[in-house]
Amino acid sequence: MLAATAITLGGSAMAPVLAGLVQKKPPYFASISAGKARMRTGPARSYPSSWLYQRADLPVKVLDVYDHGAWYKVEDPGGTQGWMMGTLVSEKRTAVVLGMVAELRDSPRDGGRILWRAAPGVVGRLSRCSRGWCHFDVRGRGGYVEANHLWGVEPTEELP
Protein backbone atom coordinates (compact mmCIF):
# COMPACT_ATOMS: atom_id res chain seq x y z
CA MET A 1 0.00 0.00 0.00
CA LEU A 2 2.82 2.41 0.88
CA ALA A 3 4.55 1.83 -2.48
CA ALA A 4 1.32 2.56 -4.34
CA THR A 5 0.93 5.81 -2.40
CA ALA A 6 4.51 6.85 -3.20
CA ILE A 7 4.00 6.13 -6.89
CA THR A 8 0.74 8.08 -6.92
CA LEU A 9 2.32 11.05 -5.15
CA GLY A 10 5.35 10.98 -7.45
CA GLY A 11 3.16 10.91 -10.54
CA SER A 12 0.98 13.78 -9.38
CA ALA A 13 4.03 15.85 -8.45
CA MET A 14 5.31 15.51 -12.03
CA ALA A 15 1.98 16.48 -13.60
CA PRO A 16 2.43 20.28 -13.26
CA VAL A 17 5.96 20.09 -14.72
CA LEU A 18 4.81 18.05 -17.72
CA ALA A 19 1.72 20.24 -18.17
CA GLY A 20 3.94 23.33 -18.30
CA LEU A 21 6.14 21.81 -21.00
CA VAL A 22 3.20 20.58 -23.09
CA GLN A 23 1.61 24.06 -23.14
CA LYS A 24 4.71 25.70 -24.64
CA LYS A 25 4.98 26.00 -28.41
CA PRO A 26 8.10 24.32 -29.83
CA PRO A 27 10.87 25.07 -30.38
CA TYR A 28 12.03 25.93 -26.84
CA PHE A 29 14.85 24.95 -24.51
CA ALA A 30 14.52 22.46 -21.65
CA SER A 31 16.91 20.00 -19.98
CA ILE A 32 17.37 16.30 -19.28
CA SER A 33 16.00 15.48 -15.83
CA ALA A 34 17.66 12.08 -15.23
CA GLY A 35 21.22 10.84 -14.80
CA LYS A 36 20.56 8.31 -17.59
CA ALA A 37 18.22 9.11 -20.47
CA ARG A 38 17.74 7.28 -23.75
CA MET A 39 17.12 9.04 -27.02
CA ARG A 40 15.09 6.90 -29.40
CA THR A 41 14.48 6.96 -33.13
CA GLY A 42 10.71 7.32 -32.63
CA PRO A 43 8.12 8.24 -29.99
CA ALA A 44 7.72 4.87 -28.22
CA ARG A 45 9.82 2.38 -26.24
CA SER A 46 9.52 -0.03 -29.15
CA TYR A 47 11.80 2.21 -31.25
CA PRO A 48 15.53 1.52 -31.00
CA SER A 49 17.71 3.60 -28.74
CA SER A 50 20.05 5.87 -30.68
CA TRP A 51 21.87 7.51 -27.76
CA LEU A 52 22.30 7.14 -23.99
CA TYR A 53 22.82 10.41 -22.13
CA GLN A 54 24.49 10.13 -18.74
CA ARG A 55 24.41 13.77 -17.79
CA ALA A 56 21.46 15.19 -15.88
CA ASP A 57 20.73 18.87 -16.62
CA LEU A 58 22.15 18.73 -20.15
CA PRO A 59 20.17 21.31 -22.15
CA VAL A 60 18.02 20.14 -25.06
CA LYS A 61 15.85 21.96 -27.55
CA VAL A 62 12.29 20.63 -27.74
CA LEU A 63 11.27 20.47 -31.40
CA ASP A 64 7.95 18.60 -31.17
CA VAL A 65 5.56 17.12 -28.62
CA TYR A 66 3.79 13.81 -29.20
CA ASP A 67 0.90 12.12 -27.37
CA HIS A 68 0.14 15.06 -25.02
CA GLY A 69 3.67 15.19 -23.64
CA ALA A 70 4.37 11.48 -23.32
CA TRP A 71 7.23 11.95 -25.85
CA TYR A 72 9.35 14.92 -26.93
CA LYS A 73 11.41 15.25 -30.09
CA VAL A 74 14.59 16.95 -28.91
CA GLU A 75 17.90 18.18 -30.23
CA ASP A 76 21.09 18.04 -28.15
CA PRO A 77 23.92 20.62 -28.17
CA GLY A 78 25.71 18.64 -30.90
CA GLY A 79 22.70 18.74 -33.23
CA THR A 80 21.60 15.11 -32.73
CA GLN A 81 17.82 14.74 -32.87
CA GLY A 82 15.57 12.02 -31.50
CA TRP A 83 12.73 11.22 -29.12
CA MET A 84 12.72 11.15 -25.29
CA MET A 85 10.06 10.09 -22.85
CA GLY A 86 8.31 13.09 -21.34
CA THR A 87 9.38 12.16 -17.81
CA LEU A 88 13.04 12.59 -18.85
CA VAL A 89 12.58 16.21 -19.97
CA SER A 90 12.44 19.05 -17.44
CA GLU A 91 11.45 22.69 -17.82
CA LYS A 92 14.51 23.59 -15.70
CA ARG A 93 16.67 25.92 -17.80
CA THR A 94 20.30 24.98 -18.20
CA ALA A 95 23.02 25.76 -20.72
CA VAL A 96 26.39 24.44 -21.80
CA VAL A 97 29.48 26.55 -22.49
CA LEU A 98 30.44 26.56 -26.17
CA GLY A 99 33.65 27.28 -28.05
CA MET A 100 36.02 28.81 -25.56
CA VAL A 101 36.35 29.46 -21.83
CA ALA A 102 33.45 31.59 -20.57
CA GLU A 103 34.10 34.29 -18.00
CA LEU A 104 31.51 34.51 -15.21
CA ARG A 105 31.31 38.14 -14.10
CA ASP A 106 29.87 39.91 -11.07
CA SER A 107 27.58 42.02 -13.26
CA PRO A 108 26.06 41.69 -16.74
CA ARG A 109 28.64 43.80 -18.60
CA ASP A 110 32.04 43.42 -20.23
CA GLY A 111 33.71 45.48 -17.50
CA GLY A 112 32.37 43.34 -14.67
CA ARG A 113 34.88 41.67 -12.37
CA ILE A 114 35.64 38.06 -13.37
CA LEU A 115 34.54 35.71 -10.59
CA TRP A 116 35.00 32.33 -12.27
CA ARG A 117 35.89 30.76 -15.59
CA ALA A 118 34.02 27.81 -17.12
CA ALA A 119 35.56 25.52 -19.75
CA PRO A 120 33.72 24.44 -22.91
CA GLY A 121 31.28 21.64 -22.10
CA VAL A 122 30.51 22.84 -18.57
CA VAL A 123 26.77 22.72 -17.80
CA GLY A 124 25.08 25.17 -15.44
CA ARG A 125 21.67 26.53 -14.52
CA LEU A 126 20.32 29.69 -16.12
CA SER A 127 18.42 32.58 -14.61
CA ARG A 128 18.00 36.32 -15.06
CA CYS A 129 18.74 36.59 -18.79
CA SER A 130 18.47 40.08 -20.22
CA ARG A 131 20.15 42.15 -22.95
CA GLY A 132 22.41 39.28 -24.05
CA TRP A 133 23.63 38.24 -20.59
CA CYS A 134 22.53 35.38 -18.31
CA HIS A 135 23.26 34.46 -14.74
CA PHE A 136 24.96 31.05 -15.04
CA ASP A 137 25.36 28.87 -11.93
CA VAL A 138 27.67 25.87 -11.83
CA ARG A 139 27.17 24.04 -8.53
CA GLY A 140 26.86 27.22 -6.49
CA ARG A 141 29.51 29.19 -8.35
CA GLY A 142 27.71 31.72 -10.44
CA GLY A 143 28.14 34.84 -12.46
CA TYR A 144 26.96 36.59 -15.59
CA VAL A 145 27.94 35.17 -18.97
CA GLU A 146 27.25 36.52 -22.43
CA ALA A 147 24.42 34.41 -23.86
CA ASN A 148 26.24 33.95 -27.17
CA HIS A 149 28.84 31.79 -25.32
CA LEU A 150 26.11 29.34 -24.26
CA TRP A 151 23.92 26.70 -25.91
CA GLY A 152 20.54 26.49 -24.22
CA VAL A 153 19.39 30.10 -24.55
CA GLU A 154 18.75 32.44 -27.44
CA PRO A 155 21.01 35.54 -27.42
CA THR A 156 18.00 37.88 -27.22
CA GLU A 157 15.92 35.75 -24.82
CA GLU A 158 14.67 37.24 -21.55
CA LEU A 159 14.37 35.06 -18.43
CA PRO A 160 13.17 36.28 -15.03
Side-chain angles (χ1 to χ4, degrees):
M1 182 69 159
L2 184 57
T5 303
I7 290 169
T8 302
L9 289 174
S12 64
M14 288 297 292
V17 172
L18 292 176
L21 284 173
V22 172
Q23 291 174 359
K24 290 183 179 182
K25 287 270 196 205
Y28 58 86
F29 287 102
S31 60
I32 296 175
S33 64
K36 287 188 178 183
R38 291 191 186 280
M39 179 183 278
R40 297 189 177 272
T41 59
R45 284 187 172 184
S46 58
Y47 285 92
S49 210
S50 58
W51 201 258
L52 174 64
Y53 295 88
Q54 298 186 54
R55 193 170 189 186
D57 292 338
L58 185 73
V60 292
K61 183 182 270 190
V62 174
L63 303 173
D64 198 5
V65 179
Y66 179 74
D67 195 18
H68 305 289
W71 291 89
Y72 291 90
K73 184 174 186 183
V74 298
E75 180 178 330
D76 73 14
T80 301
Q81 294 183 10
W83 293 87
M84 282 193 178
M85 287 178 52
T87 57
L88 299 175
V89 180
S90 169
E91 65 182 13
K92 182 183 354 170
R93 292 297 300 271
T94 64
V96 60
V97 175
L98 292 179
M100 53 191 235
V101 172
E103 295 174 336
L104 284 68
R105 299 179 179 273
D106 68 348
S107 59
R109 59 188 178 85
D110 284 327
R113 186 171 56 93
I114 298 171
L115 303 172
W116 311 100
R117 289 183 172 85
V122 169
V123 173
R125 295 187 183 189
L126 289 178
S127 62
R128 301 188 305 262
C129 293
S130 178
R131 297 179 315 229
W133 290 83
C134 289
H135 191 268
F136 186 68
D137 185 292
V138 181
R139 296 187 194 144
R141 293 184 173 156
Y144 289 91
V145 175
E146 286 183 272
N148 61 2
H149 292 295
L150 303 171
W151 191 92
V153 63
E154 298 295 338
T156 58
E157 190 172 354
E158 303 279 324
L159 289 177

